Amino acid sequence: MAALCEAFTLCGLGPTGGVGLGSGLLALEPGADPDHVLLTDRGRTATLFKVSDQKPLGCWSVKHGQFITCPVVCNFETHEYIAVHDNKVLRIWKDEDVNLDKAFKATLSAEVYRIHSLPHVEPLVLFKGGGVRTLDVLLEAPQQEIENVISDEVIKWSEAFLEGQQAVLIFITEKDGDFYVYVQKLKMRSLRKYKLEQQELSHPLSFTAYIKKQIITLLCLYSSDSVYKVLIPLQQNSEEEEQTLSKSLLLNLSISGSVLKGTSFVVLDKDHVAVLGSLAASGEESKECLTIWNTKFQTLQASKELPLGTSGQLWCYGEKFFFTHGKVLTVVIYKCETSSLAAAVGKLKDSQTSDLSSFLNWDTLRDEELLVSFQSPQSVALKSESKMMLRSKSAVANVQPGTSKVGQFLLSIKDASTAAIEDELGRLLSKAQTPDFQATIGCVISALINRCKTDPTFYPRNFLVQMIQKRELSYSLCPDLMAVALEKKDVHLLQICLQRFPDIPEEITYACLKVFLSISDDYLERTDVNLESVISYIDIEPNNKEVKTEVVENGFNTELEEDGCGVTGMKENHMMDSVEFCPVGPQKAALLNAVLHSAYSETYLLPHLKDLPAQQAVLFLRYLHYLYVKCSEKINTTLPGVLSPTISQIMDWMCLLLDAHFTVMVMLPEAKGLLSRMHKFVRAQVRFYSELNKIEGSLQELQRIKCQNNCQAYSIEVLELI
């Protein structure tokens, strides 16, 4: 049994997509982390995405006039990225590299078709002439001559597998309408060539393959709307130079008079394939759709219409489909279960009740629809038409409201008294949790927020705070919650959301920052704010001033950077700089720390930060500088306390703020002294760490020396440091 589940948008592909994919998508490859994918566009850019957060983690581009000519891949052993631009120029870089111009570069002697990366082995480089090299061998002599294996043939498709400890590469070429299959085993340096059996009046459109028990199963999607299977054994005793591979029909892409004109497909397991194409019925307009087929029983298992059109490309990693839909890259989660005849014909009873609530977008449903969503599955008839949305499906039921207690409570929220609502909420939370309890809480919060919008006097703050603190919720489950909290300036609720929600949009993060900076410290003293993140490093006197404490800047003094000052003058300056006060009160510091903890993408946050008023930007930078100095007091550069910001978070936000406001800050008189102190402090740190680098070799040598197990009570050892 197979099914298409949740769908969401990973990124935009148009000129305003924000990730440099305006020229279209060339390929999508897996990253080092199972939740990461690498997108390569048909121009200059490669982008690393975290799929679960729909956020880019890194973006790299080649120079104007250069073009990436094969998909960027990740070396799973070294976690480096490998790209080829202009067919022959190889680039290798890591996550921390920003400028590809400074990354490793090697110019090769032949044009590259594709690079294949596999776990536990060196990446394989396939050249357009059919030659293959492992990356380490190629880097030993980048200008080495590459043999031409194919003559007047063009490579159409390639794939690499790992059979045991051996890398196996398969690629298919075409010449004058004939297709040839090459199989190469890298360790044995054996290359075999086969000819693919011709099909009358049709030709192959797409290929995919998998390997099992020394046999490669090659699947071919033909223009005759059929999928054929070809078996290629790795062990061959025949000495025949070129054999013809026979194929067998695996699947006809037709059902109830409709024919699927497939453009690409992938294998899901031994019994299921997914096909992307246009479903056409006689006399009707064709519709593009994504389908899952059972090859064992020749049945269509699942289908999703794609009204905005696709590019015809389909990728599959980690039980997720990736494809373009209109001007966005869409991700669809799927599930495949053991194939049986009952499941294939749709007669298998699900052992667990379908969790309809997990596929609902609570923000768009009306109150009556919220009620219907909690009816039993036997009484709910869902429409077949679905609408893809970020993180959710919107499903509308077409039944009469029933007697569900949760549904009735949701309807009563519109006009019930606050006391009655709180009593019912207490009873709801005291009950045993069901599998859909999380979705139920999200639905209840959304209903409460809708009431808050229509009734300004209604605001169940205590319940909302309790729910966020005790439940694993997310921004997407109740998207209007933070908007209402911002409107009411409920800083405590915003603080908790920033600390607990993993998917807050950058626009909301900026709005919280702006509100926190604009509220006065006197007002915040009267509010309830969690101070756990600041209480351990900000000491407060009765007059709300920070206690003066001497700062030892991690083994170095910034006053040593000053030239022409006497010893006495340096000590005085040091004491003045060492009693730096926290520029904000403890409540505001705790709120700003929550902002520092929030996940963000620099690409999307930077435009909002540029709108931050100059005075607020200076105040925020002063606080970041204060945290930076505080971190440098500690040997491990870690602030004490719960949920205190890390040195990396502090530095990243300082860089972001300077990028957004540097020109303005240079012109502001009150910011010049701050920038000067920051410059001296960083320069002192750079010199300090450069001194540490000088003894790095000696420290590494000491680590390699192992203690003798038979040491006596007294011994003398001579250590030679090279």
Side-chain angles (χ1 to χ4, degrees), residues 678-702:
M678 291 175 61
H679 172 69
K680 293 174 184 177
F681 192 87
V682 173
R683 184 172 62 180
Q685 281 195 319
V686 171
R687 292 191 179 183
F688 175 70
Y689 285 110
S690 66
E691 294 297 324
L692 289 180
N693 288 333
K694 293 179 181 179
I695 63 172
E696 181 182 8
S698 300
L699 296 177
Q700 290 178 348
E701 186 66 23
L702 286 173

Side-chain angles (χ1 to χ4, degrees), residues 566-639:
V567 176
T568 304
M570 288 190 294
K571 289 182 179 179
E572 291 176 355
N573 289 339
H574 179 59
M575 290 303 297
M576 291 179 64
D577 290 338
S578 298
V579 294
E580 177 79 20
F581 290 109
C582 181
V584 297
Q587 288 81 9
K588 183 172 292 188
L591 296 175
L592 294 177
N593 286 353
V595 173
L596 299 184
H597 268 283
S598 181
Y600 66 90
S601 167
E602 180 179 341
T603 304
Y604 299 108
L605 181 60
L606 193 58
H608 296 294
L609 279 182
K610 292 180 179 179
D611 296 331
L612 191 67
Q615 299 299 329
Q616 294 183 9
V618 172
L619 177 61
F620 189 31
L621 187 61
R622 287 179 58 200
Y623 177 65
L624 291 172
H625 177 244
Y626 169 81
L627 291 179
Y628 188 57
V629 174
K630 279 289 184 182
C631 283
S632 300
E633 295 178 14
K634 309 296 180 182
I635 296 177
N636 58 359
T637 64
T638 302
L639 290 174

Side-chain angles (χ1 to χ4, degrees), residues 366-597:
R366 298 185 301 273
D367 294 324
E368 290 77 7
E369 294 166 346
L370 290 174
L371 169 63
V372 170
S373 67
F374 283 95
Q375 301 300 314
S376 62
Q378 290 78 10
S379 65
V380 177
L382 291 177
K383 293 183 179 180
S384 59
E385 184 176 348
S386 62
K387 181 179 180 181
M388 285 182 292
M389 302 185 68
L390 181 63
R391 296 181 177 270
S392 63
K393 285 183 179 178
S394 177
V396 179
N398 188 20
V399 296
Q400 294 297 322
T403 59
S404 167
K405 291 184 178 180
V406 176
Q408 289 179 341
F409 172 55
L410 293 175
L411 289 180
S412 69
I413 289 178
K414 292 190 299 182
D415 49 16
S417 65
T418 303
I421 292 176
E422 290 179 351
D423 291 342
E424 186 62 34
L425 288 174
R427 287 192 291 270
L428 177 65
L429 296 177
S430 63
K431 295 180 180 179
Q433 295 189 10
T434 59
D436 61 350
F437 186 75
Q438 198 77 358
T440 303
I441 294 300
C443 181
V444 170
I445 292 178
S446 294
L448 292 173
I449 295 302
N450 289 336
R451 169 78 180 271
C452 293
K453 292 179 180 178
T454 57
D455 183 2
T457 61
F458 178 80
Y459 186 57
R461 179 181 180 275
N462 293 334
F463 171 77
L464 296 175
V465 170
Q466 181 184 1
M467 285 301 95
I468 298 173
Q469 287 178 330
K470 294 184 178 181
R471 310 295 171 187
E472 294 296 329
L473 301 176
S474 63
Y475 177 87
S476 56
L477 198 59
C478 40
D480 286 340
L481 173 61
M482 294 187 70
V484 171
L486 282 167
E487 181 181 350
K488 296 183 177 294
K489 293 188 177 181
D490 188 346
V491 293
H492 185 211
L493 183 61
L494 292 173
Q495 180 190 27
I496 300 173
C497 291
L498 288 167
Q499 292 172 342
R500 294 182 176 270
F501 286 179
D503 56 344
I504 300 175
E506 287 77 2
E507 182 180 4
I508 300 297
T509 302
Y510 165 74
C512 292
L513 173 63
K514 189 174 181 180
V515 167
F516 295 163
L517 291 171
S518 63
I519 297 178
S520 66
D521 289 332
D522 293 337
Y523 175 84
L524 289 175
E525 288 178 1
R526 302 189 299 270
T527 60
D528 182 16
V529 177
N530 189 342
L531 300 179
E532 289 183 344
S533 66
V534 300
I535 200 66
S536 298
Y537 66 86
I538 296 184
D539 300 323
I540 307 301
E541 289 183 342
N543 60 354
N544 290 332
K545 295 294 184 180
E546 183 192 9
V547 175
K548 301 180 180 180
T549 56
E550 184 178 356
V551 178
V552 181
E553 295 171 352
N554 213 0
F556 58 90
N557 296 327
T558 55
E559 74 274 4
L560 295 180
E561 300 299 317
E562 302 283 355
D563 296 328
C565 296
V567 176
T568 304
M570 288 190 294
K571 289 182 179 179
E572 291 176 355
N573 289 339
H574 179 59
M575 290 303 297
M576 291 179 64
D577 290 338
S578 298
V579 294
E580 177 79 20
F581 290 109
C582 181
V584 297
Q587 288 81 9
K588 183 172 292 188
L591 296 175
L592 294 177
N593 286 353
V595 173
L596 299 184
H597 268 283

Side-chain angles (χ1 to χ4, degrees), residues 294-310:
N294 187 308
T295 58
K296 185 176 182 180
F297 299 108
Q298 302 285 303
T299 57
L300 176 64
Q301 293 282 279
S303 176
K304 180 183 290 291
E305 289 188 10
L306 307 173
L308 300 181
T310 72

Side-chain angles (χ1 to χ4, degrees), residues 41 55 57 60 81 132-133 137 201 309 410 421 519 591 640:
D41 74 358
K55 291 185 178 181
L57 301 179
W60 303 273
Y81 304 107
V132 182
R133 295 287 189 277
V137 172
L201 303 178
L410 293 175
I421 292 176
I519 297 178
L591 296 175

Side-chain angles (χ1 to χ4, degrees), residues 178-193:
D178 293 327
F179 288 82
Y180 301 91
V181 181
Y182 292 82
V183 178
Q184 182 163 2
K185 292 184 281 189
L186 274 297
K187 277 190 176 180
M188 302 177 62
R189 295 188 178 181
S190 65
L191 177 66
R192 286 191 170 273
K193 179 181 180 181

